[in-house]
Amino acid sequence: MQYSVGVEYALHCLVYLIPNESTIGIKELAFFQGIPETYLSKIFTKLTKAGIVSSVPGVKGGFKLARDPDDISFWDVVEAVEGRKPIFQCQNIKDKGYLYRDRDCSDCAASTGSCSINLVMLEAEETMQNYLRNKKLSWLEEELDRVLPAEKRKQTREFFAKGSSV
């Protein structure tokens, strides 16, 4: 299992939107992250569709958080960027194995029962999702304040506060 780097870029960019009352443009966010503007635009399109950010048109336009940082979880961002497709997708191979291969299934139910492997994988995925649901954008902001040098955090905020023309 692997999430795309888009999830990481999304989380980093969203945290920059927290302290700002004004909007931040894709151009500034992409420049700051060192990634192509078109790539980040695709991520922000997904975040907008998910109701995580809102787009503000115009000269001073850009993006801002659509919800309070306490109401945006890491899982919300993962789901917005990656989609709702489950990580493990059971192919029900147990019913295609040797013991069932020659069985007449004209009157069988779709499956002979729950697959133990699938149940374990679904439970593991649910545990991970719940963990990510409990990590909020507000937590990330506090964590970055705790682990990063104060001067770096200040420079980051100043970069975006002045509406840097890139």
Side-chain angles (χ1 to χ4, degrees), residues 7-19 44 47 51-53 64-78 132-145 153 157:
V7 171
E8 185 177 359
Y9 283 128
L11 286 165
H12 275 281
C13 289
L14 291 172
V15 84
Y16 303 141
L17 298 177
I18 292 174
F44 268 74
L47 294 172
I52 294 172
V53 297
K64 64 180 184 175
L65 292 179
R67 304 189 319 239
D68 188 272
D70 280 330
D71 296 331
I72 301 171
S73 72
F74 277 44
W75 182 248
D76 294 333
V77 176
V78 168
L132 293 174
R133 283 184 185 106
N134 288 320
K135 292 295 181 195
K136 307 293 182 177
L137 215 50
S138 55
W139 170 87
L140 180 58
E141 173 77 357
E142 292 168 6
E143 185 68 6
L144 292 176
D145 280 340
R153 294 291 284 156
R157 288 184 179 112

Side-chain angles (χ1 to χ4, degrees), residues 2-141:
Q2 183 176 2
Y3 293 133
S4 71
V5 71
V7 171
E8 185 177 359
Y9 283 128
L11 286 165
H12 275 281
C13 289
L14 291 172
V15 84
Y16 303 141
L17 298 177
I18 292 174
N20 294 344
E21 297 301 317
S22 60
T23 59
I24 299 177
I26 283 289
K27 186 180 276 192
E28 288 78 21
L29 289 165
F31 176 80
F32 195 81
Q33 292 293 331
I35 58 173
E37 193 176 326
T38 53
Y39 178 69
L40 194 57
S41 290
K42 290 176 184 175
I43 293 169
F44 268 74
T45 297
K46 294 175 181 182
L47 294 172
T48 302
K49 285 181 182 175
I52 294 172
V53 297
S54 58
S55 174
V56 178
V59 177
K60 300 246 182 194
F63 289 91
K64 64 180 184 175
L65 292 179
R67 304 189 319 239
D68 188 272
D70 280 330
D71 296 331
I72 301 171
S73 72
F74 277 44
W75 182 248
D76 294 333
V77 176
V78 168
E79 206 170 44
V81 175
E82 299 292 333
R84 294 178 182 256
K85 186 176 167 185
I87 296 169
F88 183 77
Q89 296 174 33
C90 183
Q91 300 300 310
N92 205 22
I93 63 172
K94 72 177 180 62
D95 289 343
K96 299 172 189 164
Y98 174 75
L99 296 177
Y100 298 102
R101 199 174 294 152
D102 297 326
R103 179 177 56 168
D104 174 25
C105 274
S106 57
D107 63 342
C108 295
S111 175
T112 59
S114 296
C115 174
S116 297
I117 294 169
N118 188 40
L119 293 174
V120 168
M121 299 304 256
L122 291 173
E123 185 178 345
E125 187 172 344
E126 186 178 333
T127 300
M128 182 188 66
Q129 289 174 5
N130 287 333
Y131 180 81
L132 293 174
R133 283 184 185 106
N134 288 320
K135 292 295 181 195
K136 307 293 182 177
L137 215 50
S138 55
W139 170 87
L140 180 58
E141 173 77 357

